Amino acid sequence: MGKALDGVRILDFTHVQSGPTCTQLLAWLGADVIKVERAGEGDITRGQLRDIPGVDSLYFTMLNHNKRSITVDAKHPKGKQVLEALVKHCDVLVENFAPGALDRMGLTWEHIQSLNPRMIVASVKGFGPGPYEDCKVYENVAQCAGGSASTTGFDDGPPMVTGAQIGDSGTGLHLALGIVAALYQRKTTGRGQRVLAAMQDGVLNLCRVKLRDQQRLARTGVMEEYPQYPNTPFGDAVPRAGNASGGGQPGWILKCKGWETDPNAYIYFITQAPVWKDICEVIGRPEWLTDPCYATPKARLPHLMEIFGQIEEWTKTKDKFEAMDLLNKRDIPCGPILSMKEIAEEPSLRATGTVVEVDHPTRGKYLSVGNPIKMSESPSDVKRSPLLGEHTDEVLAELGYTQDQVAALRADKAI
């Protein structure tokens, strides 16, 4: 069996992170992704945050695996002809330009449809239709506008963004799903369509439990599983919840042995009701089982921070992995706080292809994430990112250009 998206051609007009996340996922799933870049410059991330002078940055290489790169001058008349030939050749055009940029290139939806009625045009934008739709948006702006920042952090501090790229990469993943759905629907209709994933919308989708809580708060005026309860009054908007779980199972991050010197010597601990007896036995507090202040989940809610404080006295006597082993034997939900160094060195993640080592012709070997989606009959291979314009001649030949015509385009600086 071949790859899941074998035969699908993607015209990749993306740059930086949100769009490349989408097209890289499609490439991992087997699509032929042709990345269009400006000659001499390419995707801006090739030069951003470089750790080796003159070499494509990790920022670029880790977002553009399994793709082919072609350079085209979109402003040159002959370059525009190349782009139109690519539109006719491909199934999906993906872009995350600023609003209106594709139209200014002459590739309006109407023109694209006239060239290829089956073409799917997929876009990442900062905001959907509304007062902010023409605004430029970056990762942290999306987190703030999508509800994440206002609900992240601690109650006595400012809003916080998260290290997870839920605005850029999160929206790219949403867009990839939309593209696959549009390809599936095209089998029935024979027609392409436009697919839009707005970053604000994507972040909000990932923050849906907070929208849930906003409605609960409006109705009841209090949320008992939040750390503010019962000592701090609630306002009219969902507050920052620290390390509370966001669900019906109270959880918190607790110190483990070595926390004084190791910033990641912590464990996430969930006081799940079905294993309350085991929790009390493990930490040496059997009296909690009959104490009316602790015997039921409802009774425990006003005392959660006190409970976690007592549990922490136990976790501080164990390193995070020792604590995890002891807790898992009793099915007590928990998880170690893993640093990026620990993740990079974890053998099981290498074995599953979640972390991969890639060899690059100018960078050498480096680590990257692999495809998080595992398919039994069509496993993903992670191939290195392309050098700038590495596949220009190859792609143009597939479009029917002769070697002489390619040489003429290069002489005219159209490619």
Side-chain angles (χ1 to χ4, degrees):
M1 187 179 292
K3 302 296 184 184
L5 294 181
D6 274 348
V8 175
R9 296 191 186 100
I10 309 292
L11 182 54
D12 184 356
F13 275 118
T14 71
H15 59 288
V16 192
Q17 185 179 164
S18 59
T21 297
C22 169
T23 53
Q24 178 172 259
L25 181 58
L26 299 173
W28 279 337
L29 294 174
D32 177 16
V33 176
I34 302 169
K35 186 176 179 75
V36 178
E37 301 186 76
R38 290 181 294 177
E41 299 180 34
D43 189 319
I44 192 173
T45 59
R46 285 185 183 270
Q48 284 187 340
L49 305 176
R50 273 185 172 143
D51 57 320
I52 303 175
V55 172
D56 286 341
S57 72
L58 287 166
Y59 196 6
F60 176 85
T61 58
M62 293 175 68
L63 284 161
N64 290 281
H65 292 119
N66 296 52
K67 302 178 185 181
R68 298 194 287 170
S69 171
I70 176 173
T71 55
V72 180
D73 182 355
K75 296 180 180 180
H76 195 290
K78 293 182 179 178
K80 289 184 178 180
Q81 292 176 4
V82 172
L83 294 182
E84 291 183 345
L86 284 166
V87 169
K88 294 176 182 178
H89 181 68
C90 293
D91 299 286
V92 185
L93 186 157
V94 188
E95 60 93 14
N96 62 325
F97 293 129
L102 205 61
D103 291 352
R104 292 190 291 273
M105 291 170 59
L107 292 176
T108 63
W109 168 247
E110 292 75 20
H111 186 47
I112 290 171
Q113 284 285 285
S114 71
L115 295 170
N116 182 356
R118 291 173 56 82
M119 172 66 79
I120 294 161
V121 176
S123 303
V124 171
K125 292 292 178 273
F127 295 95
Y132 305 117
E133 63 183 306
D134 293 329
C135 296
K136 185 180 289 187
V137 174
Y138 291 92
E139 169 66 42
N140 289 349
V141 174
Q143 289 193 29
C144 292
S148 174
S150 69
T151 55
T152 302
F154 289 88
D155 200 40
D156 58 354
M160 294 285 289
V161 297
T162 173
Q165 304 291 283
I166 61 175
D168 276 324
S169 288
T171 307
L173 297 175
H174 282 95
L175 186 66
L177 175 59
I179 289 169
V180 171
L183 285 168
Y184 184 82
Q185 188 174 28
R186 194 180 69 176
K187 290 185 175 184
T188 303
T189 66
R191 304 198 330 259
Q193 61 181 299
R194 285 176 286 186
V195 180
L196 171 66
M199 294 171 70
Q200 182 187 40
D201 299 1
V203 170
L204 178 57
N205 188 44
L206 297 175
C207 292
R208 68 182 68 182
V209 298
K210 300 301 182 180
L211 184 59
R212 172 205 68 190
D213 290 348
Q214 180 62 45
Q215 295 171 87
R216 292 172 56 225
L217 179 63
R219 185 177 299 276
T220 66
V222 65
M223 292 182 292
E224 295 178 341
E225 79 284 2
Y226 271 60
Q228 287 80 359
Y229 178 80
N231 300 315
T232 304
F234 287 82
D236 60 0
V238 173
R240 292 182 269 288
N243 291 313
S245 68
Q249 307 295 337
W252 204 253
I253 290 178
L254 306 178
K255 297 171 182 174
C256 289
K257 188 176 182 179
W259 67 271
E260 299 93 340
T261 57
D262 181 355
N264 295 299
Y266 291 81
I267 193 170
Y268 197 90
F269 192 107
I270 296 175
T271 57
Q272 190 178 32
V275 291
W276 179 244
K277 180 175 182 293
D278 294 273
I279 292 171
C280 293
E281 291 175 353
V282 166
I283 69 169
R285 298 303 298 264
E287 68 275 13
W288 280 356
L289 294 173
T290 55
D291 188 324
C293 291
Y294 305 97
T296 67
K298 181 75 171 177
R300 289 193 289 274
L301 287 173
H303 306 287
L304 280 178
M305 299 317 295
E306 174 195 343
I307 290 169
F308 284 125
Q310 291 295 313
I311 296 172
E312 188 173 64
E313 292 304 310
W314 178 83
T315 60
K316 285 195 294 186
T317 67
K318 309 285 187 295
D319 73 38
K320 60 189 177 186
F321 298 110
E322 291 172 337
M324 185 177 175
D325 288 342
L326 291 168
L327 296 170
N328 279 335
K329 287 176 182 177
R330 293 176 176 254
D331 289 330
I332 298 170
C334 63
I337 307 305
L338 295 180
S339 69
M340 279 297 158
K341 183 176 186 295
E342 289 169 318
I343 289 172
E345 295 172 353
E346 172 54 50
S348 66
L349 296 178
R350 302 286 188 97
T352 59
T354 299
V355 174
V356 295
E357 185 175 75
V358 183
D359 200 2
H360 189 275
T362 58
R363 163 170 290 283
K365 293 183 178 180
Y366 66 95
L367 291 184
S368 183
V369 296
N371 190 351
I373 301 170
K374 310 298 193 287
M375 301 178 68
S376 64
E377 300 301 321
S378 51
S380 298
D381 303 312
V382 177
K383 301 175 183 176
R384 68 166 177 86
S385 60
L387 301 175
L388 179 60
E390 181 177 351
H391 304 95
T392 300
D393 290 14
E394 177 181 292
V395 172
L396 288 175
E398 293 170 5
L399 296 177
Y401 284 83
T402 66
Q403 290 184 351
D404 288 343
Q405 288 173 322
V406 173
L409 288 172
R410 190 162 280 115
D412 287 340
K413 298 184 178 179
I415 58 173

